[in-house]
Amino acid sequence: MAGQDPALSTSHPFYDVARHGILQVAGDDRFGRRVVTFSCCRMPPSHELDHQRLLEYLKYTLDQYVENDYTIVYFHYGLNSRNKPSLGWLQSAYKEFDRKYRLHFLNMKNACIVLPPTAPPSLQPSASLHKFGKKVIYFNYLSELHEHLKYDQLVIPPEVLRYDEKLQSLHEGRTPPPTKTPPPRPPLPTQQFGVSLQYLKDKNQGELIPPVLRFTVTYLREKGLRTEGLFRRSASAQTVREIQRLYNQGKPVNFDDYGDIHIPAVILKTFLRELPQPLLTFQAYEQILGITCVESSLRVTRCRQILRSLPDHNYVVLCYLMGFLHAVSRESIFNKMNSSNLACVFGLNLIWPSQGVSSLSALVPLNMFTELLIEYYEKIFSTPEAPGERGLAPWEQGSRAAPLQEAVPRTQATGLTKPTLPPSPLMAARRRL
């Protein structure tokens, strides 16, 4: 991984933070002081980084040099709304530094801050930190560091180098070089959000149903089926990020502690939306868009055909999720969430194009397809019965001959059993396509 010390071991006390390479010890300056760099571009999205742990890691790093002078180089490029700490965190971080660190910051001979020309005013020295502010040197270009540091010893992220080259090109009137996407950082072994179904399966002893999906569905089945507006309400972004951090760090989450049934509902949607590839896969996108062109009486059959092209793992997870949403829709007299309402909420969380975003015209077929999966769940996820429907190929028969029956023992391994869903007389009249 770019920026990570090759000698860094998973046994490092701050491996979960150190693996990102945000902090680096980068040789000495021209006065022999140790140089520590802080690179904002290496900070992952807030829900993937515990900022309190980052603060502890910073103190852990500075403890090694706190008795001597040192220089901090702060690369501001890459800080954005997705990864920046809150103002409250910055205030609490300053208060948390004990007198040893505060005095040393004020006695520090130098602090170099490399900023783009549009650096926010909040990073300028404030009156309350006037003594510290007098020791800060601001630079617009990396070349200005040569006067103060041993430049060749600095650990400068490639993203910062490219941005500096772009600024220099613009300053000199040249066409800036094309940007390159940095290589992705490896996820934590306990990562739950933003990783593939295969990764989750491999890290969870072959369990097909991802833990976040299983926990949220179980909780909502037990306590939320009759909650009005389920999946329609939002939740505090800070709370959602906190829960994502807990899951990603392999820590337990007790939704009872939050006192809001809509929080696990939001977490479920967030998990689906952050999958690297949608649950219905990129390959099925164009097929799904064509559902409106299919005669209404044949749409269920067409849904079954499209689903048979899914990878086995995706199919099992989709079957599990649709079984739950079908149960939610059957309580619509209480929760006001029928299959159509649920489809409007989940359509774009189950499928999106590989490039760009779904157009407004795509919403109708995407929502229609999702509504069919929920409304006709028992028929779509059962063995083929229609005379003209293509039967399962021999290689499929072992894994998909009876997906509904198969889904129960597979989820029992995770502590779940899908309750039997008796036919609903209220829905019988709608069983005509």
Side-chain angles (χ1 to χ4, degrees):
M1 178 185 71
Q4 178 175 300
D5 183 351
L8 183 65
S9 167
T10 54
S11 61
H12 188 286
F14 291 93
Y15 174 79
D16 57 319
V17 179
R19 69 193 185 93
H20 295 292
I22 301 167
L23 289 178
Q24 297 280 348
V25 179
D28 304 317
D29 66 10
R30 295 195 179 279
F31 298 94
R33 297 181 294 243
R34 298 298 282 172
V35 175
V36 178
T37 63
F38 188 107
S39 303
C40 290
C41 64
R42 288 182 174 159
M43 293 179 65
S46 295
H47 69 264
E48 296 180 15
L49 178 66
D50 186 334
H51 289 129
Q52 183 60 34
R53 289 277 294 168
L54 175 61
L55 176 60
E56 293 170 2
Y57 177 48
L58 175 60
K59 292 164 67 175
Y60 170 85
T61 302
L62 296 182
D63 271 337
Q64 302 174 53
Y65 311 103
V66 75
E67 300 304 326
N68 303 294
D69 288 331
Y70 56 83
T71 293
I72 293 180
V73 178
Y74 167 85
F75 295 111
H76 176 70
Y77 173 75
L79 193 69
N80 54 56
S81 59
R82 296 182 66 241
N83 66 0
K84 69 178 180 181
S86 67
L87 180 60
W89 179 88
L90 291 172
Q91 292 171 337
S92 64
Y94 177 73
K95 293 177 181 177
E96 187 168 325
F97 274 105
D98 59 29
R99 187 170 179 79
K100 173 179 67 174
Y101 293 101
R102 291 190 188 182
L103 284 176
H104 196 68
F105 277 141
L106 295 178
N107 290 331
M108 187 174 56
K109 295 293 191 299
N110 214 358
C112 302
I113 300 184
V114 182
L115 298 170
T118 56
S122 60
L123 286 172
Q124 307 303 323
S126 64
S128 62
L129 294 176
H130 182 66
K131 288 181 66 179
F132 175 72
K134 290 170 64 177
K135 301 177 181 295
V136 176
I137 303 173
Y138 290 85
F139 299 114
N140 287 323
Y141 305 104
L142 294 177
S143 57
E144 300 173 38
L145 288 171
H146 285 279
E147 180 183 348
H148 301 270
L149 306 171
K150 295 179 181 178
Y151 185 85
D152 58 337
Q153 294 183 359
L154 282 180
V155 180
I156 304 176
E159 301 94 316
V160 173
L161 291 170
R162 286 193 293 268
Y163 184 71
D164 180 69
E165 187 175 353
K166 178 181 177 181
L167 289 180
Q168 292 280 8
S169 299
L170 292 173
H171 179 70
E172 297 171 7
R174 295 183 283 112
T175 302
T179 59
K180 298 179 181 179
T181 303
R185 299 183 179 95
L188 287 169
T190 53
Q191 192 89 15
Q192 299 292 311
F193 290 84
V195 293
S196 68
L197 293 178
Q198 184 62 48
Y199 184 89
L200 292 169
K201 176 184 174 183
D202 293 343
K203 297 297 182 181
N204 290 279
Q205 294 78 48
E207 205 173 289
L208 291 177
I209 308 301
V212 173
L213 179 61
R214 175 164 52 86
F215 295 150
T216 52
V217 164
T218 300
Y219 189 87
L220 292 170
R221 271 193 185 276
E222 294 175 354
K223 303 184 178 183
L225 286 184
R226 296 191 172 187
T227 299
E228 185 172 341
L230 187 66
F231 294 114
R232 286 239 181 207
R233 306 287 177 82
S234 60
S236 162
Q238 182 178 354
T239 300
V240 172
R241 287 195 297 268
E242 174 190 337
I243 293 173
Q244 286 183 291
R245 279 198 295 268
L246 290 174
Y247 271 125
N248 286 339
Q249 293 167 10
K251 297 179 180 178
V253 173
N254 185 353
F255 288 117
D256 287 336
D257 294 341
Y258 299 91
D260 185 354
I261 194 64
H262 297 287
I263 288 177
V266 172
I267 292 296
L268 172 56
K269 292 187 295 181
T270 303
F271 170 78
L272 294 171
R273 190 166 53 248
E274 293 194 2
L275 286 172
Q277 181 172 189
L279 186 56
L280 284 168
T281 72
F282 294 129
Q283 290 72 23
Y285 186 76
E286 294 299 329
Q287 299 179 65
I288 291 173
L289 292 187
I291 194 68
T292 53
C293 300
V294 177
E295 185 180 336
S296 59
S297 61
L298 299 176
R299 284 174 182 164
V300 166
T301 299
R302 180 56 181 154
C303 287
R304 292 166 60 86
Q305 292 172 346
I306 293 173
L307 295 191
R308 279 204 296 273
S309 68
L310 293 181
D312 283 348
H313 194 177
N314 293 60
Y315 183 88
V316 171
V317 173
L318 181 69
C319 178
Y320 178 81
L321 176 63
M322 290 301 112
F324 166 62
L325 295 183
H326 181 74
V328 174
S329 71
R330 291 184 58 186
E331 299 290 345
S332 61
I333 191 173
F334 300 103
N335 59 40
K336 313 302 181 187
M337 296 299 291
N338 58 26
S339 56
S340 177
N341 293 334
L342 288 168
C344 291
V345 172
F346 278 89
L348 291 177
N349 291 320
L350 295 175
I351 184 71
W352 57 84
S354 58
Q355 300 293 329
V357 297
S358 297
S359 63
L360 289 176
S361 61
L363 295 182
V364 172
L366 296 183
N367 290 349
M368 177 185 289
F369 186 84
T370 306
E371 182 178 357
L372 289 167
L373 296 185
I374 298 171
E375 178 78 7
Y376 299 94
Y377 161 73
E378 293 168 318
K379 188 172 183 180
I380 290 174
F381 290 91
S382 65
T383 52
E385 297 172 356
E389 187 172 352
R390 180 178 72 85
L392 297 177
W395 64 269
E396 294 178 298
Q397 291 175 0
S399 60
R400 298 224 185 133
L404 280 178
Q405 289 77 8
E406 178 196 31
V408 173
R410 287 206 184 191
T411 54
Q412 281 176 339
T414 69
L416 295 178
T417 56
K418 186 179 73 64
T420 303
L421 300 174
S424 170
L426 293 176
M427 308 298 279
R430 302 185 61 185
R431 299 263 172 150
R432 302 186 185 92
L433 283 180

